[in-house]
Amino acid sequence: MAKQNTGRYGIWSIGLRSEDPARRGELAEAAAELEELGFGAVWLGGSTGVRHAVPLIEATTRLTVATGIQSIWQYEAGDTATEYAALEAAHPGRFLLGLGVSHAKLADRYRRPYAAMVAYLDALDAAGVPAERRVLAALGPKMLRLSRDRAAGSHPYLVTPEHTAEAREALGDGPLLAPELKVIIETDPTRARATARDHLSFYLGLPNYTNTFLRLGFTKADLAGGGSDRLIDALYAWGDENRIRARVDEFHTAGADHVALQVIDDGAAGDALPREGWRRVAALLG
């Protein structure tokens, strides 16, 4: 069901989860446009709860709205199950619950993340949230296997096509594999990489990501100085339309069913809606 509902391309956005009442109309309009542009899903960035999906689902007719990702430390399983049931009753099949263990630096309760995720899934099972309606933010082998066995698949963030190939092998053919990919529509290499390094700086302080980079063959030197060109070019799709399209295609060739595209605008606020960028991405995907 998850594969059928997400399509091949989606948009990942922190801005679309805004709780500012003054932006309610803006978010609804943006979601409706994304649906018209042909995107199959939107992934709400940050630690997002079920409630953040509601206004976007109400503003559209077929778009899948997913949490990308809900932290298991921030939202209790029982509350999540209750909110899921209400949303599913009102809009069947429109919501996908993305779950993650976050990071030790961001969650005070962070302990034994794998065991905590297993316990959280047990609680969701007991409350009637179907495994086929949830995905996990899996980077390492153990969490990928859990995504295969206890969820509809995986939504990995900040990864490369090589990681996607490894994830597909771990998941097998059936489960959904929906990696996130950052897009910078800029043809000048210096400007594009500077924008990417500014964006990447936060993530380079999170071991869950840096350990994954090292497992993929990058070195500590690649992680220094804001990230080597090699690291930047592996994690960000930048350039003209043809180059960006080719980078997206690499993920599908590696085994992705769906690619969630996060458009990065140089100098824009983190919760901005880069709607012109979304239109350009939709056009290049054709």
Side-chain angles (χ1 to χ4, degrees):
M1 181 180 294
K3 282 188 181 182
Q4 296 171 357
N5 290 351
T6 57
R8 285 176 62 81
Y9 308 107
I11 288 294
W12 192 103
S13 169
I14 289 178
L16 285 171
R17 74 174 294 282
S18 175
E19 296 180 311
D20 183 352
R23 300 188 68 188
R24 191 76 177 247
E26 177 192 13
L27 301 187
E29 182 182 279
E33 183 180 17
L34 289 173
E35 183 173 75
E36 287 302 309
L37 288 172
F39 293 104
V42 295
W43 300 80
L44 304 182
S47 181
T48 300
V50 178
R51 70 178 184 275
H52 296 104
V54 174
L56 304 184
I57 289 175
E58 291 177 342
T60 53
T61 60
R62 61 187 181 276
L63 192 71
T64 293
V65 182
T67 51
I69 287 294
Q70 176 177 302
S71 170
I72 65 171
W73 314 107
Q74 186 172 346
Y75 298 89
E76 296 297 331
D79 295 337
T80 294
T82 298
E83 293 181 16
Y84 167 84
L87 182 53
E88 180 64 14
H91 302 279
R94 299 284 309 283
F95 175 71
L96 187 60
L97 177 63
L99 299 169
V101 297
S102 189
H103 305 269
K105 291 185 177 181
L106 304 179
D108 293 338
R109 297 167 56 196
Y110 194 94
R111 301 288 188 281
R112 302 179 62 213
Y114 180 83
M117 178 61 81
V118 170
Y120 200 94
L121 295 176
D122 289 344
L124 292 181
D125 287 346
V129 178
E132 63 268 21
R133 301 299 298 283
R134 61 201 191 206
V135 294
L136 308 185
L139 294 175
K142 288 180 63 177
M143 199 66 77
L144 281 165
R145 289 193 293 270
L146 194 64
S147 301
R148 176 194 65 199
D149 297 339
R150 301 288 306 276
S154 177
H155 172 53
Y157 185 87
L158 196 61
V159 293
T160 66
E162 291 75 20
H163 182 277
T164 296
E166 293 180 5
R168 175 50 68 199
E169 183 175 357
L171 291 172
D173 292 335
L176 173 71
L177 179 54
E180 176 268 354
L181 173 63
K182 296 166 179 54
V183 174
I184 299 172
I185 307 174
E186 171 57 67
T187 58
D188 181 83
T190 300
R191 288 198 294 267
R193 288 175 178 141
T195 298
R197 286 190 176 95
D198 182 62
H199 186 265
L200 185 62
S201 60
F202 170 74
Y203 300 103
L204 287 176
L206 300 175
N208 288 7
Y209 292 123
T210 55
N211 289 338
T212 298
F213 302 154
L214 295 174
R215 283 198 304 269
L216 290 169
F218 294 98
T219 68
K220 290 185 178 180
D222 287 309
L223 308 183
S228 67
D229 286 355
R230 184 169 80 108
L231 181 65
I232 293 297
D233 294 351
L235 296 174
Y236 291 78
W238 61 267
D240 61 17
E241 283 79 357
N242 290 333
R243 177 172 175 148
I244 292 172
R245 175 58 191 260
R247 292 284 289 117
V248 176
D249 288 346
E250 286 181 31
F251 283 81
H252 281 296
T253 300
D257 301 297
H258 171 96
V259 182
L261 301 163
Q262 180 181 179
V263 175
I264 308 298
D265 271 359
D266 182 23
D271 63 349
L273 303 182
R275 295 178 64 178
E276 179 57 32
W278 293 343
R279 295 171 191 135
R280 293 180 66 180
V281 167
L284 70 88
L285 294 174

